[in-house]
Amino acid sequence: MRYFPIFVDTQNQHTLVVGAGEVAARKIELLLKTEASIDVIAPYACDTVKQYAEQGRIRLLLRPFEDSDIQQQTLIFVATDNPTLNAHIHQLASEKGIMVNVVDNTPLCRFITPAIVDRSPIVIALSSGGSAPVLLRYIRQKLETVIPHGISQLGNLFEQFRNRVKAAFNNVDDRRAFWEEIMEGQIAEHAMHGQSTKAEQGLIEKLTQAESNASTGSTKGAVYLIGAGPGDPELLTFKALRLMQKADVVVYDRLVSKDILEMTRRDAEKVYVGKAKSNHTLPQGDINQLLVERALAGQRVVRLKGGDPFIFGRGGEEIETLFEHGIDFQVVPGITAATGAASYSGIPLTHRDHAQSVVFATGHLKDNSIDLDWPALAQKNQTIVFYMGLAGLKIISDQLIQHGMPSDMPIALVQSATCESQRVVTGTLNDIVEKAEASELKPPTLIIVGTVVNLHEQLKWF
Ligand code: SAH
């Protein structure tokens, strides 16, 4: 990030614009939105600038620029048609450490002005650092349409009650929860539709209610057990995203991608409980305990899990503990690795000509064996999906052959399904171990066994 975004306080500050043509007028127009005083210096001025002067909104000095004009201004814009003069003013201002912007000449700008969506007191500033103005205009237009104009009034309401709400809650989390409830409800609607008295009354009522709750110490946390899907962030559900934005703390494991983690509330605490470098996972009992402790302390805990929490995710155990402690919770399903891998590799798990049933099994190795009902798995017209099976791939293929599956039965290994780095390796029960080793596949990898795998070549698209 070359340009660091900040908002400059303009109260009781002086600004200077050198130049008074149309280009300068556009910058003056921006400055007029602020509380700063504006001096404009130029030998002659365009009509717009003259008008601003006549209205008493700026001080216009119709004369050439002099070095002594640079004093202690907060910001200076330079927009003359004389490049030598522009560079000279840039130099003078820089020496004095004043923020100077030579319009349309980025090398001579100590700051640049962003594109602005103005819903004061809410102001959104956007910048591409000069690299993609068209894209920027597009994004700004989008924002203009999705952010209601009434947000201004809502912002004013928040400003008006800020101190009272602060006084009513001594804990930041409670304060935030209070404002969020206001934002999602009728009070915000009233404010945004200009019914400010109704909005104020509603807010006072809520505040009184919250104050009496606070005095009885009844803040309540909750746990949201959320399936984050197999990797592609676009596969999150709306509900997952909404609850992720509410988190005070996010407890996540190894399979949750960085992109998805970044979609949780930015200042939420992030707690990693997956495999650390030392190869230790936080024991399940400790994770359960952590969720309980945080929720009892009144926090909103997002427990993010790869895929679906109820498919090889131990989600059941986690909510049992929550239930025992009487903690509020919700479970949000996610797209499990099997359906993610199936779609993104073009291998339908069922198909009229191939498979009438599909089984999800764990290929997890324990004491060098896999405890499964092999005869039930090695059935005709059935697709088998193995989770956690890469290390046990040899045992899986041997067992399936031993229990009657043809050794040329197609099998696919899908690594990092739905992610940019997805890889698919196909073979038969006979040669897949060799192929897997040759292609150096790594976890997370999913195994799909069945004749549906033959459709991959024809249906792959990702
Ligand atoms: N709850 C998860 C599964 C957790 S078990 C879900 O519903 O998907 C972990 C196993 O899931 C991994 O060993 C791997 O076999 C599989 N897996 C998870 N994400 C995957 C991905 N993106 N690509 C391939 N396999 C994946």
Side-chain angles (χ1 to χ4, degrees), residues 173 176-177 180 220-222 224 246-249 298-302:
D173 291 341
R176 200 184 55 242
E180 278 175 2
K220 242 179 135 203
Y224 309 128
K246 286 193 164 196
D248 296 313
V249 51
Q299 290 191 306
R300 277 172 297 186
V301 186
V302 161

Side-chain angles (χ1 to χ4, degrees), residues 91 138 243 290 364 415:
Q91 179 68 24
Y138 173 81
L243 295 177
L290 177 72
H364 187 62
Q415 176 191 298

Side-chain angles (χ1 to χ4, degrees), residues 171-347:
N171 161 333
V172 187
D173 291 341
D174 294 347
R175 204 183 309 152
R176 200 184 55 242
F178 175 81
W179 280 126
E180 278 175 2
E181 210 180 312
I182 300 294
M183 227 152 41
E184 285 167 11
Q186 206 49 34
I187 295 175
E189 291 298 318
H190 288 321
M192 288 201 280
H193 289 100
Q195 298 162 301
S196 55
T197 317
K198 256 188 175 170
E200 283 165 25
Q201 280 167 353
L203 206 140
I204 291 170
E205 220 169 274
K206 277 256 180 225
L207 197 55
T208 320
Q209 217 173 49
E211 279 162 348
S212 74
N213 282 352
S215 63
T216 55
S218 64
T219 50
K220 242 179 135 203
V223 176
Y224 309 128
L225 183 58
I226 298 177
D232 180 351
E234 291 202 311
L235 295 178
L236 282 174
T237 60
F238 288 125
K239 190 163 192 170
L241 196 59
R242 187 170 61 77
L243 295 177
M244 279 158 67
Q245 292 291 330
K246 286 193 164 196
D248 296 313
V249 51
V250 180
V251 179
Y252 68 103
D253 48 30
R254 187 172 41 108
L255 285 174
V256 176
S257 71
K258 191 168 150 274
D259 289 346
I260 288 179
L261 200 62
E262 276 177 7
M263 295 167 91
T264 58
R265 203 170 63 82
R266 201 161 116 194
D267 43 2
E269 183 191 351
K270 316 277 187 320
V271 182
Y272 177 71
V273 293
K275 245 180 213 159
K277 284 212 179 75
S278 59
N279 243 359
H280 286 306
T281 314
L282 197 63
Q284 188 63 48
D286 291 4
I287 298 178
N288 301 350
Q289 206 48 45
L290 177 72
L291 302 181
V292 168
E293 273 165 22
R294 294 307 190 94
L296 287 179
Q299 290 191 306
R300 277 172 297 186
V301 186
V302 161
R303 171 67 174 120
L304 257 192
K305 285 176 164 292
D308 182 281
F310 279 5
I311 294 181
F312 304 123
R314 305 189 74 169
E317 297 163 50
E318 290 177 13
I319 59 171
E320 261 170 42
T321 325
L322 299 175
F323 189 78
E324 283 162 17
H325 288 80
I327 291 167
D328 282 347
F329 64 84
Q330 288 189 44
V331 184
V332 182
I335 291 185
T336 189
T339 51
S343 297
Y344 280 56
S345 64
I347 303 177

